[in-house]
Amino acid sequence: QKEVEQDPGPLSVPEGAIVSLNCTYSNSAFQYFMWYRQYSRKGPELLMYTYSSGNKEDGRFTAQVDKSSKYISLFIRDSQPSDSATYLCAMRTVSGANNLFFGTGTRLTVIP
Amino acid sequence: DGGITQSPKYLFRKEGQNVTLSCEQNLNHDAMYWYRQDPGQGLRLIYYSQIVNDFQKGDIAEGYSVSREKKESFPLTVTSAQKNPTAFYLCASRGLIGANTQYFGPGTRLTVL
């Protein structure tokens, strides 16, 4: 079993839709959770960074962590064609700053 | 502008040749990392360095070498011993304060001909 599981998609939605992207994990010691956005042939860009459980909102993006279910989500409201990218989740333990565990990424396409 | 730069963007290599990928950062970050990204797989850690003149192997270090002579620079050499070097290579760095996570460069696409 992989440490982090992420549905690769692809996921296609119409412009303006709410998008839900998810990852599950097996290691209960993970405390820091990240979402990166990666455009084609570019490096990943940090979108959201959260510690432990709860929600964090930044503009149209909301990151949610449910540690009891070992499940994290990224919600995108009012999705735009410019949101079309691959979204990677990543996570680590408190002492594991050098050891990030990544999902394989979900490819999202927002159709105008 | 602060950031991480990688060069070249595209690199072609003949089998049996060593090649060096450049990574430079002006974020004053202490830690630097090299990852490899292949289709359908998550990022895999090759090497990382927390301080100058010190580095540690990651999960897939075989066939790669690094150096860290300056805080700003962390070049990666892909040697002829690397059996399947065609991939997208990503450099990242991390500061020790603030958002204590990794920030990535734009990547280098290496193709072995």
Side-chain angles (χ1 to χ4, degrees):
Chain A
Q1 183 187 9
K2 289 184 182 178
E3 298 261 13
V4 181
E5 300 276 2
Q6 184 175 11
D7 187 337
L11 179 63
S12 292
V13 301
E15 184 175 352
I18 296 174
V19 176
S20 172
L21 303 166
N22 311 294
C23 288
T24 59
Y25 61 95
S26 56
N27 187 348
S28 58
F30 288 147
Q31 293 277 10
Y32 291 91
F33 303 91
M34 289 132 275
W35 285 96
Y36 290 88
R37 176 176 62 195
Q38 186 176 23
Y39 292 113
S40 181
R41 301 180 185 180
K42 304 287 186 186
E45 169 195 7
L46 181 67
L47 272 181
M48 302 289 279
Y49 176 68
T50 57
Y51 172 71
S52 196
S53 285
N55 292 0
K56 183 175 182 179
E57 188 173 320
D58 184 1
R60 296 184 296 109
F61 298 91
T62 299
Q64 196 171 78
V65 175
D66 181 351
K67 292 193 68 188
S68 62
S69 301
K70 297 193 184 71
Y71 189 89
I72 68 171
S73 300
L74 178 70
F75 297 97
I76 307 175
R77 290 184 299 282
D78 187 25
S79 56
Q80 302 295 310
S82 58
D83 296 327
S84 298
T86 296
Y87 289 81
L88 304 169
C89 64
M91 50 199 77
R92 69 170 178 92
T93 63
V94 170
S95 59
N98 295 317
N99 196 15
L100 289 187
F101 290 84
F102 288 88
T104 53
T106 299
R107 180 182 291 182
L108 171 67
T109 300
V110 180
I111 303 165
Chain B
D1 287 336
I4 304 170
T5 57
Q6 291 186 241
S7 61
K9 188 173 181 180
Y10 298 99
L11 188 56
F12 297 90
R13 187 194 93 174
K14 292 182 180 178
E15 281 194 25
Q17 287 181 337
N18 292 356
V19 64
T20 297
L21 283 59
S22 169
C23 177
E24 304 273 334
Q25 54 95 3
N26 61 5
L27 300 167
N28 199 32
H29 284 174
D30 291 278
M32 296 186 74
Y33 307 82
W34 275 106
Y35 290 91
R36 171 183 171 135
Q37 187 175 35
D38 295 282
Q41 298 195 43
L43 276 67
R44 293 183 289 169
L45 182 64
I46 303 172
Y47 268 99
Y48 69 95
S49 168
Q50 295 195 92
I51 57 172
V52 173
N53 292 323
D54 186 57
F55 45 83
Q56 307 296 326
K57 291 183 179 180
D59 300 320
I60 56 164
E62 185 176 349
Y64 300 98
S65 65
V66 293
S67 62
R68 186 87 185 276
E69 296 177 3
K70 298 186 300 181
K71 185 176 180 178
E72 301 80 17
S73 178
F74 191 40
L76 173 74
T77 296
V78 184
T79 75
S80 57
Q82 169 49 233
K83 292 188 169 74
N84 186 19
T86 294
F88 190 49
Y89 289 88
L90 289 160
C91 178
S93 69
R94 177 176 64 87
L96 299 184
I97 58 174
N100 189 10
T101 190
Q102 297 178 25
Y103 296 86
F104 286 87
T108 292
R109 173 70 185 176
L110 172 64
T111 301
V112 173
L113 303 172

